[in-house]
Amino acid sequence: MTNLNKLYSYYDVSTPIQQKALKELLLNHLPKEYTNKVIEKLQAKDVTIDRQTVRNVKAGISKNIMVFNAIIEVAREFKAISDRLKENLQNLK
């Protein structure tokens, strides 16, 4: 479970707009297989990490800005895919 209040304080997400955007990304757009996607993204930058660390960072149990940033990047990529799907479905009408 994600502790949003802890994440807000860890990563200085202070404005309501930022908090709403972060909440939406983490709860609605982060895919089920996000741990593997985050690990792949970090391995491309020569950073070795395990799935438990990724889950702990997302849950707010531990703080690691590099891992958290990769989690947000994965969520944003999947949000873009979701937005394209919605647009494509709208164009079918």
Side-chain angles (χ1 to χ4, degrees):
M1 188 75 193
T2 302
N3 186 340
L4 290 171
N5 289 327
K6 209 174 232 187
L7 292 177
Y8 296 158
S9 65
Y10 274 171
Y11 302 106
D12 192 28
V13 181
S14 54
T15 68
I17 294 171
Q18 292 173 333
Q19 290 175 355
K20 182 179 177 184
L22 178 62
K23 181 178 179 179
E24 181 196 1
L25 284 173
L26 292 179
L27 299 180
N28 297 331
H29 297 289
L30 200 58
K32 183 178 180 178
E33 67 279 359
Y34 77 94
T35 54
N36 290 333
K37 302 279 185 197
V38 170
I39 290 169
E40 289 171 8
K41 187 172 280 296
L42 291 172
Q43 282 178 342
K45 297 175 184 176
D46 293 328
V47 176
T48 304
I49 199 139
D50 63 1
R51 285 185 285 236
Q52 187 62 42
T53 302
V54 174
R55 286 191 294 269
N56 285 345
V57 169
K58 180 193 174 269
I61 295 169
S62 62
K63 180 180 177 182
N64 185 320
I65 194 143
M66 185 178 291
V67 174
F68 187 69
N69 191 48
I71 291 169
I72 297 302
E73 287 175 7
V74 168
R76 289 185 70 200
E77 289 169 9
F78 276 81
K79 181 181 185 320
I81 292 168
S82 176
D83 290 344
R84 277 196 310 263
L85 174 63
K86 289 176 188 174
E87 183 180 313
N88 287 337
L89 292 173
Q90 287 292 331
N91 291 336
L92 292 175
K93 290 182 180 180

